[in-house]
């Protein structure tokens, strides 16, 4: 007997309780509450032939780009593959996608999930995986268009519609359609006020538009709900960016110490990544962060030679160079060079084109080889989306470039870069301070004073 899930998608396994349990586990991934892997594992113990359960477990584990989950991901995939003859067309598509992912062809995996989604536009899991994989892989347009292709077929009465709105909101934001992005995000929040992904996309809109005061109140008002979710760490990071932009460094350090969960030994890479990204920004501003780098570098060091995901490697490198761990930094660089020379998986291109040049630029920065840092980053700055992540995350590359240009005394370049940043975000204290520093370097005393006055007028607290 085959059944359907709550969105009418056929499921080959004929037990309604198992299908309901899968829906609950899937809901955990979208709400960022609970433990979806434990939930589905328990269900699979009772229902070992539940193909879609194995597909879900394996697929969800693909989103954690860490060695520690590899064996579990592989055994879930193998369990699903062993049930191939019982699987329906949709389930086989999911199996093929995870197999491609495990084989290192992330882009082929997305194509398989896309094919499932084209056939079953209400397959929320396929949509979620395509969208999130596009974010991981830096396919900026894909993040929006995977939702655009199915959105007209959804409506408010369908279970999970608010999550579709959340995905669409983020995809629109990353493609600079801020008005529609905010509307979609707020529509999602009207249905589910504690949807962390929609909170996230609205905060991205405010970040990109330089609405710091609005961003701070939006995030703080909603903190009682999102701060309990698994997305809390990243959302605290977003809140700290608003504070940083208006010069409230004490608030940033307060968030770092009290809310970024780096002291938790079981924290995943995503959390450590936010912490590294925040400390590096403070470093660029010349803020003394004490011994905070040390505990963070301890957490990254075991993965120095992972070469699983370039985006992780650059954040590991920030901690190594900042904590004076030259041996760990060298191991990371050597591992990347070996990997680029031999491997064929999808991360190779990301590492070769952006990851390794950025890692070398970080080392240059720390060693005060600012000219070399500038040259490396200028060459890649318009390709950085290939590293994955968001515009707000990758902004650290442009920011490092600008600070290095100033320290290399390349003031004309620094002025151009600072002006570019101001054109994109006029309300940032930091951006106007950079304009002032560049003018000062060029001997433009009056222009430097005007930019400083602007920076001061924007400073809060
Ligand atoms: Fe974000």
């Amino acid at each position: 007997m085959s059944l359907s899930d709550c969105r009418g998608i056929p499921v080959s396994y004929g037990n309604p309780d198992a299908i309901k349990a899968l829906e609950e586990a899937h809901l955990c991934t979208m709400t960022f509450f609970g433990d979806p892997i434990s939930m589905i594992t328990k269900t699979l113990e009772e229902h070992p032939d539940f193909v879609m359960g194995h597909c879900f477990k394996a697929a969800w584990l693909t989103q954690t780009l860490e060695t520690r989950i590899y064996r579990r991901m592989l055994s879930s995939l193998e369990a699903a593959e062993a049930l191939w003859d019982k699987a329906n067309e949709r389930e086989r598509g999911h199996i093929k996608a995870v197999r491609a992912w495990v084989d290192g062809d992330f882009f082929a995996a997305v194509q398989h999930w896309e094919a499932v989604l084209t056939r079953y536009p209400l397959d929320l899991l396929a949509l979620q995986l395509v969208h999130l994989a596009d974010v991981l892989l830096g396919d900026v347009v894909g993040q929006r268009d995977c939702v655009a292709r199915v959105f007209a077929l959804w409506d408010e009465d369908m279970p999970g519609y608010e999550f579709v709105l959340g995905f669409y909101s983020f995809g629109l934001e990353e493609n600079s359609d801020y008005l529609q992005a905010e509307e979609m995000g707020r529509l999602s929040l009207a249905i589910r006020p504690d949807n962390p992904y929609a909170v996230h996309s609205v905060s991205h809109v405010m970040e990109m538009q330089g609405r710091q005061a609005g961003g701070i109140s939006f995030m703080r008002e909603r903190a009682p709900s999102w701060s309990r979710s698994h997305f809390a760490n990243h959302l605290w990071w977003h809140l700290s960016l608003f504070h940083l932009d208006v010069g409230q460094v004490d608030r940033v350090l307060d968030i770092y110490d009290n809310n970024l969960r780096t002291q938790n030994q079981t924290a995943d890479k995503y959390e450590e990544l936010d912490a590294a990204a925040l400390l590096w920004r403070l470093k660029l501003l010349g803020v003394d962060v004490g011994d905070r780098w040390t505990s963070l570098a301890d957490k990254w060091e075991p993965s120095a030679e992972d070469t699983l995901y370039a985006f992780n490697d650059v954040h590991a490198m920030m901690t190594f160079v900042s904590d004076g761990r030259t041996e760990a930094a060298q191991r990371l660089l050597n591992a990347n060079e070996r990997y680029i020379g031999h491997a064929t998986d999808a991360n190779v291109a990301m590492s070769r084109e952006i990851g390794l040049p950025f890692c070398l630029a970080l080392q240059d920065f720390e060693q005060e080889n600012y000219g070399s840092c500038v040259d490396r980053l200028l060459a890649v700055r318009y390709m950085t989306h290939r590293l994955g992540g968001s515009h707000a995350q990758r902004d650290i590359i442009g920011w490092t470039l600008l600070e290095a240009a100033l320290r290399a005394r390349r003031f004309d370049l620094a002025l151009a870069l600072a002006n570019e940043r101001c054109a994109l975000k006029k309300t940032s204290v930091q951006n106007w301070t950079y304009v002032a520093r560049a003018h000062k370097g060029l001997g433009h005393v009056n222009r430097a004073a005007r930019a400083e006055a602007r920076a001061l007028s924007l400073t809060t607290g």
Side-chain angles (χ1 to χ4, degrees):
M1 181 180 68
S2 69
L3 298 170
S4 299
D5 70 11
C6 61
R7 284 171 284 276
I9 312 288
V11 182
S12 65
Y13 191 69
N15 184 301
D17 291 340
I19 296 169
K20 191 160 167 277
L22 169 61
E23 181 64 21
E24 283 166 13
H26 187 202
L27 193 63
C28 285
T29 67
M30 291 182 293
T31 58
F32 296 83
F33 278 99
D35 183 347
I37 295 298
S38 297
M39 286 171 74
I40 197 65
T41 301
K42 192 163 170 286
T43 302
L44 287 168
E45 280 165 10
E46 289 170 39
H47 303 277
D49 290 345
F50 184 17
V51 186
M52 199 57 217
H54 291 294
C55 290
F56 166 77
K57 184 175 175 181
W60 191 243
L61 288 170
T62 64
Q63 301 302 294
T64 309
L65 287 160
E66 293 181 48
T67 44
R68 67 186 168 95
I69 56 85
Y70 186 81
R71 284 212 59 76
R72 275 191 294 164
M73 178 169 69
L74 189 61
S75 63
S76 292
L77 170 62
E78 286 169 351
E81 285 176 333
L83 296 164
W84 178 269
D85 290 344
K86 293 182 178 175
N88 65 25
E89 181 193 15
R90 175 229 185 181
E91 290 156 354
R92 288 179 178 182
H94 277 276
I95 294 171
K96 283 191 265 184
V98 181
R99 172 47 69 185
W101 191 283
V102 167
D103 290 344
D105 195 345
F106 303 155
F107 296 100
V110 174
Q111 289 300 308
H112 286 300
W113 281 319
E114 282 275 13
V116 172
L117 187 60
T118 304
R119 177 74 181 81
Y120 302 101
L122 304 184
D123 185 336
L124 187 55
L125 177 63
L127 175 61
Q128 177 188 28
L129 290 164
V130 172
H131 174 78
L132 296 180
D134 280 344
V135 175
L136 280 176
L137 300 175
D139 182 346
V140 177
V141 175
Q143 291 162 39
R144 176 194 62 195
D145 291 352
C146 64
V147 194
R149 285 192 285 276
V150 299
F151 190 66
L153 301 168
W154 280 80
D155 67 52
E156 206 166 327
D157 297 331
M158 294 172 182
Y161 178 69
E162 68 271 35
F163 304 114
V164 178
L165 286 168
F167 299 142
Y168 207 6
S169 173
F170 187 72
L172 288 160
E173 178 279 323
E174 286 296 291
N175 285 277
S176 309
D177 190 345
Y178 300 126
L179 188 67
Q180 227 194 137
E182 184 160 350
E183 187 182 356
M184 294 284 178
R186 288 187 184 274
L187 279 172
S188 175
L189 290 170
I191 300 170
R192 187 182 286 264
D194 62 351
N195 179 5
Y197 203 76
V199 170
H200 177 238
S201 66
V202 172
S203 81
H204 265 272
V205 169
M206 293 178 162
E207 170 65 28
M208 299 308 285
Q209 292 184 320
R211 291 156 59 191
Q212 296 92 350
I216 290 167
S217 58
F218 174 78
M219 296 298 276
R220 290 211 180 264
E221 274 165 24
R222 292 171 182 271
S225 65
W226 60 252
S227 63
R228 292 183 294 113
S229 75
H230 298 319
F231 214 22
N233 208 77
H234 187 62
L235 294 172
W236 282 115
W237 176 80
H238 271 284
L239 176 56
S240 74
L241 290 190
F242 292 127
H243 287 297
L244 196 62
D245 234 2
V246 289
Q248 296 174 327
V249 170
D250 53 339
R251 304 302 297 270
V252 175
L253 287 171
D254 185 60
I255 289 172
Y256 186 91
D257 290 336
N258 295 309
N259 304 110
L260 291 192
R261 300 175 185 157
T262 51
Q263 56 274 63
N264 177 358
Q265 284 302 318
T266 59
D268 64 26
K269 280 282 163 290
Y270 203 67
E271 296 183 355
E272 292 158 23
L273 195 147
D274 290 324
L278 187 55
L279 286 190
W280 188 268
R281 281 168 173 78
L282 291 167
K283 178 196 189 84
L284 294 176
L285 293 175
V287 176
D288 179 3
V289 298
D291 61 0
R292 290 178 180 87
W293 280 115
T294 304
S295 53
L296 196 54
D298 282 344
K299 304 212 71 171
W300 278 104
E301 197 157 335
S303 13
E305 294 172 275
D306 275 6
T307 61
L308 273 178
Y309 184 38
F311 201 71
N312 286 348
D313 289 346
V314 299
H315 289 85
M317 191 68 176
M318 286 171 204
T319 71
F320 298 156
V321 299
S322 299
D323 198 47
R325 300 192 188 196
T326 48
E327 190 265 338
Q330 199 53 52
R331 279 198 292 125
L332 185 147
L333 294 173
N334 292 344
N336 261 273
E337 275 161 15
R338 277 198 307 274
Y339 163 72
I340 287 168
H342 295 98
T344 54
D345 64 70
N347 178 54
V348 169
M350 296 159 82
S351 298
R352 182 192 303 116
E353 291 168 16
I354 315 296
L356 188 55
F358 190 33
C359 284
L360 290 166
L362 293 166
Q363 188 178 53
D364 282 335
F365 190 93
E366 187 64 32
Q367 294 174 347
E368 301 184 6
N369 296 325
Y370 299 120
S372 172
C373 178
V374 167
D375 292 338
R376 288 188 203 279
L377 294 183
L378 271 181
V380 301
R381 65 179 307 232
Y382 282 112
M383 299 188 285
T384 56
H385 64 277
R386 292 180 195 167
L387 191 60
S390 65
H391 291 299
Q393 286 176 308
R394 293 188 302 268
D395 181 53
I396 200 166
I397 300 175
W399 198 341
T400 304
L401 167 63
L402 172 51
E403 182 62 36
L406 278 167
R407 297 191 192 189
R409 304 185 63 77
R410 287 163 72 168
F411 296 117
D412 49 357
L413 173 64
L415 180 62
L417 295 169
N419 277 335
E420 180 188 286
R421 289 179 75 81
C422 276
L424 290 170
K425 201 199 276 186
K426 293 181 175 62
T427 55
S428 164
V429 172
Q430 312 304 346
N431 290 350
W432 285 103
T433 305
Y434 275 114
V435 171
R437 286 172 64 194
H439 275 307
K440 219 176 267 180
L442 289 164
H444 304 156
V445 178
N446 291 341
R447 286 181 180 181
R450 278 203 293 275
E452 246 164 27
R454 176 69 75 94
L456 278 172
S457 72
L458 292 165
T459 304
T460 312

